[in-house]
Structure formats: structure tokens, C-alpha cells
């Protein structure tokens, strides 16, 4: 080496979060998709309601159980309680998930509760395939520093200038 140093790099401006002009439009679009996803999950909660209805019908005697397949009346009652319990539990869980995702859609539109929106995005990822796509896009958009700044300061957040 002949002792010649490379030229210094130009000084870079400090990295600040700039509010992208399309952040608000993307948050509104995500909000609408969260409402739609909440509707789909609410509609899907009707499947566990079928199990709940079958369990109640078995317990009440409205749905007779074939005596050839069940060895005792106690087994028929147990089957009724299992259907009722699991149906009610899954029905309640799916309705709660639909409510949380719908509320997250409202929070996205109002730019409030960033952490709740991230949790709802993770919950959306469990609904394959549409929820996974929505959840990933929500996490990507909510991870932007400009969007985080919007959530911290609301609509009054001014774009930073370098």
C-alpha cells in the first residue's frame, strides 16, 4: 500500500421517519379488509354452532342415538356433552376472534392501538390463506417507522424534513 487513503464518504443526513403520502390510504384499505375478514370469521363460527346444536339435541333427546353404536346411555350423554362443550367453546373463540379483528380494523382507521393491531394481524395469520396474506401485509405496513409515528401522534403528525 502506498499510503493513499480512500476519499471520505459524504456526510449523510440523519435518518428520520417521513410520512409516506400513501400511508393513510393503505391504513384505510387494511381497515376495510379487517372488517371483511371479521365477517368471514364470524360466518365461519356457524360451523361450531352446528356441533353445539347437535350436542343440545342429543342431550335433550330430540336426536335419538342408535343403540347399536352406543353401549350405554351414559356414553350417549357424554357424546352430547362433548359436542355441546366443544361446539360452544369454538363458537365463542371464533366470535371473539372476529370481534378482535373487527375492532382492530376500527383502530387501523383511527390510527390507534398499534400493539392491538399487531396482535390482530398475528391472529389473522392463522386463517389460511386470506388471513395469512392480510396479516403479513398488516405487519409489514405497521412496521414502517412513518406508520408508527402516525399511531403515536395521530392525524396531527407532520412529515419530518431532513
Amino acid at each position: 500500500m502506498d499510503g493513499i487513503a480512500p476519499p471520505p464518504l459524504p456526510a449523510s443526513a440523519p435518518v428520520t421517519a417521513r410520512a409516506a403520502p400513501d400511508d393513510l390510504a393503505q391504513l384505510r384499505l387494511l381497515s376495510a379488509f379487517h372488517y371483511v375478514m371479521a365477517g368471514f370469521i364470524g360466518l365461519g363460527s356457524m360451523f361450531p354452532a352446528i356441533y353445539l346444536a347437535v350436542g343440545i339435541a342429543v342431550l335433550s333427546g330430540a336426536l335419538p342415538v342408535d343403540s347399536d353404536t352406543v353401549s350405554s346411555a351414559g356414553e350417549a350423554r357424554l357424546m352430547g356433552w362433548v359436542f355441546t362443550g366443544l361446539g360452544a367453546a369454538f363458537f365463542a373463540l371464533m366470535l371473539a376472534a372476529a370481534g378482535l379483528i373487527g375492532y382492530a380494523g376500527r383502530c387501523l382507521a383511527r390510527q390507534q392501538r398499534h400493539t392491538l393491531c399487531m396482535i390482530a394481524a398475528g391472529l389473522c395469520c392463522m386463517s389460511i390463506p386470506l388471513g395469512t396474506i392480510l396479516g403479513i401485509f398488516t405487519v409489514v405496513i405497521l412496521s414502517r417507522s412513518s406508520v408508527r409515528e402516525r399511531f403515536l401522534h395521530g392525524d396531527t403528525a407532520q412529515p419530518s424534513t431532513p
Side-chain angles (χ1 to χ4, degrees):
M1 304 254 194
D2 51 6
I4 300 175
L9 294 174
S12 62
V15 178
T16 58
R18 293 182 92 177
D22 56 343
D23 280 348
L24 186 60
Q26 289 175 351
L27 286 172
R28 286 187 179 158
L29 192 61
L30 280 176
S31 173
F33 286 148
H34 273 75
Y35 289 138
V36 170
M37 192 67 200
F40 282 153
I41 292 174
L43 183 66
S45 72
M46 294 301 123
F47 289 112
I50 294 171
Y51 283 93
L52 177 64
V54 167
I56 291 172
V58 168
L59 287 174
S60 68
L63 182 68
V65 179
D66 187 15
S67 61
D68 294 336
T69 59
V70 178
S71 60
S72 70
E75 282 184 7
R77 291 196 55 78
L78 176 66
M79 182 188 77
W81 281 113
V82 168
F83 269 62
T84 302
L86 289 177
F90 281 110
F91 180 71
L93 284 173
M94 289 181 77
L95 281 182
L100 178 71
I101 291 170
Y103 183 64
R106 182 177 184 198
C107 291
L108 282 167
R110 292 181 174 192
Q111 299 159 20
Q112 298 173 338
R113 297 178 178 85
H114 185 269
T115 305
L116 179 116
C117 293
M118 289 291 268
I119 291 170
L123 185 63
C124 277
C125 287
M126 292 184 357
S127 298
I128 298 171
L130 297 176
T132 305
I133 296 167
L134 177 62
I136 289 172
F137 282 136
T138 304
V139 168
V140 167
I141 289 173
L142 289 178
S143 296
R144 287 189 207 149
S145 56
S146 61
V147 173
R148 268 188 257 130
E149 189 174 304
R150 271 189 181 275
F151 272 79
L152 286 176
H153 303 294
D155 278 333
T156 60
Q158 297 296 322
S160 307
T161 55

